[in-house]
Amino acid sequence: MGDRPIQRDFLNQVNQYLDKSLSMDEEQKFLIEMRKDPMLKDMVNKEQTFRNFIKDNVPRRKFSPDLIEGIMRKIDTTS
Amino acid sequence: MNRNEKEKIFKEEILPYADALLTFGYHLTLYDSSAEDLVQITLEKAWRNIEKYQLGTNAKAWLFTIMRNAFINDYRKKAKQPTVIDIDEAIINTDEENNGPLSSYVDLREEMLENLMGDEITEAINSLAIDNRTAILLCDVEGFTYEEIAKITKVPVGTVRSRLHRARNQLKQKLKEYAENLGYKDNRTNS
């Protein structure tokens, strides 16, 4: 990715932006920076794609109604 | 709080997170049946402590905190599972204080992800050290903030950040290996 080495601060900013952990001021500055820097924009896009991929593809387990019923029964008898 | 009120809160605010708890529980214990046990323990503890839960606050974060504590205090002790720690975490934590070039950023091409299946992703996540696995599940799968993850896992926010950095990098590396095994070649030069 690009010619310049990736600085930790640079990646931290990308992560904090995508994880919604920047303050409003920091986010504004970051967005201005991103418009000026194609490498930053490219990195944000890649990291966003990776996060979306994980979120969409981790198989979700489903708790069966029988188990819920069992828990409710147990609660009934213990309380 | 009378029993009817307790039951109403439990059914409306707690039970809707049973599936999310089961997914998290599976990735903690690595077994479906153990995950079900852990959810059961978590929900029973939630029921017993429901008067401590404040309506309208973050029920999901409260439940995940109970589950994480139950995993450490109840399940892991019973199962006599040794604590597996990530020996690189200390290095990463120290490294975080520096602001030099990263030696460990994994640049994963989008095309490499296209043919990967849920099973490979599960396997890759489950291969991570428990603390890193927990961080990525709570952040990227469940959408908790750094501050919420810090509270759930009882570590400083800086540690959450470094665990996430490490977890994402290791996960990308694993997925890259799976993609390469499926025949995908990254032909880029190191540009």
Side-chain angles (χ1 to χ4, degrees):
Chain A
M1 177 181 283
D3 293 317
R4 76 187 190 216
I6 294 165
Q7 300 292 314
R8 182 170 292 280
D9 189 44
F10 186 78
L11 181 63
N12 277 345
Q13 288 265 309
V14 172
N15 283 333
Q16 285 181 270
Y17 168 70
L18 291 174
D19 296 337
K20 298 181 175 46
S21 288
L22 291 177
S23 68
M24 272 173 68
D25 277 359
E26 287 169 333
E27 189 174 314
Q28 283 307 313
K29 277 184 202 156
F30 182 84
L31 289 171
I32 291 167
E33 199 57 40
M34 196 164 70
R35 266 180 240 130
K36 290 191 294 195
D37 187 344
M39 183 183 159
L40 182 57
K41 194 172 178 189
D42 183 45
M43 192 167 179
V44 167
N45 289 339
K46 279 187 180 174
E47 287 298 310
Q48 181 68 69
T49 301
F50 178 67
R51 280 161 174 68
N52 291 345
F53 175 78
I54 297 302
K55 190 173 174 59
D56 296 342
N57 289 283
V58 167
R60 303 289 180 149
R61 255 80 189 158
K62 197 115 188 81
F63 212 68
S64 81
D66 289 353
L67 281 165
I68 296 278
E69 252 179 56
I71 289 169
M72 291 309 289
R73 267 199 308 274
K74 198 165 177 195
I75 283 169
D76 268 340
T77 55
T78 54
S79 58
Chain B
M1 192 184 290
N2 65 37
R3 191 185 166 88
N4 282 349
E5 285 171 333
K6 276 174 80 174
E7 244 184 64
K8 188 174 184 296
I9 294 170
F10 193 76
K11 282 182 181 162
E12 288 177 3
E13 304 227 4
I14 305 298
L15 285 183
Y17 294 112
D19 291 347
L21 287 170
L22 189 63
T23 302
F24 185 51
Y26 168 73
H27 286 286
L28 288 176
T29 63
L30 307 181
Y31 296 100
D32 282 318
S33 59
S34 304
E36 287 171 1
D37 290 346
L38 191 56
V39 176
Q40 187 157 335
I41 294 170
T42 304
L43 292 177
E44 285 169 17
K45 279 179 190 284
W47 171 260
R48 283 200 298 276
N49 291 287
I50 201 135
E51 294 188 15
K52 289 181 194 160
Y53 167 68
Q54 291 177 317
L55 270 182
T57 58
N58 193 340
K60 189 176 176 185
W62 185 63
L63 288 166
F64 273 67
T65 306
I66 296 174
M67 174 172 264
R68 191 249 174 203
N69 292 343
F71 172 68
I72 290 170
N73 299 325
D74 301 336
Y75 173 80
R76 206 148 67 175
K77 269 184 198 160
K78 266 188 221 160
K80 294 191 176 145
Q81 282 195 350
T83 307
V84 180
I85 55 162
D86 184 0
I87 53 165
D88 291 331
E89 183 168 284
I91 299 164
I92 290 290
N93 283 341
T94 312
D95 199 25
E96 173 147 289
E97 288 160 21
N98 304 323
N99 189 26
L102 275 174
S103 54
S104 58
Y105 177 72
V106 178
D107 182 12
L108 186 66
R109 294 198 78 154
E110 200 175 330
E111 306 88 272
M112 296 185 98
L113 300 172
E114 281 167 5
N115 294 316
L116 296 174
M117 310 292 283
D119 285 354
E120 284 143 353
I121 297 150
T122 300
E123 201 179 311
I125 288 180
N126 290 351
S127 72
L128 304 177
I130 184 91
D131 290 335
N132 297 339
R133 199 189 318 152
T134 299
I136 206 163
L137 286 164
L138 294 179
C139 188
D140 291 348
V141 179
E142 299 300 339
F144 286 112
T145 64
Y146 292 169
E147 286 74 18
E148 286 167 337
I149 298 169
K151 274 189 190 164
I152 293 169
T153 56
K154 296 188 173 71
V155 294
V157 169
T159 305
V160 172
R161 266 206 294 268
S162 28
R163 284 179 182 176
L164 277 169
H165 167 72
R166 180 137 198 90
R168 286 171 179 147
N169 250 357
Q170 289 174 335
L171 196 55
K172 283 180 194 167
Q173 189 58 47
K174 286 269 171 201
L175 295 175
K176 200 172 183 176
E177 284 164 21
Y178 287 135
E180 282 166 358
N181 286 342
L182 289 171
Y184 182 88
K185 276 200 172 73
D186 187 353
N187 292 321
R188 288 173 300 179
T189 52
N190 198 14
S191 61

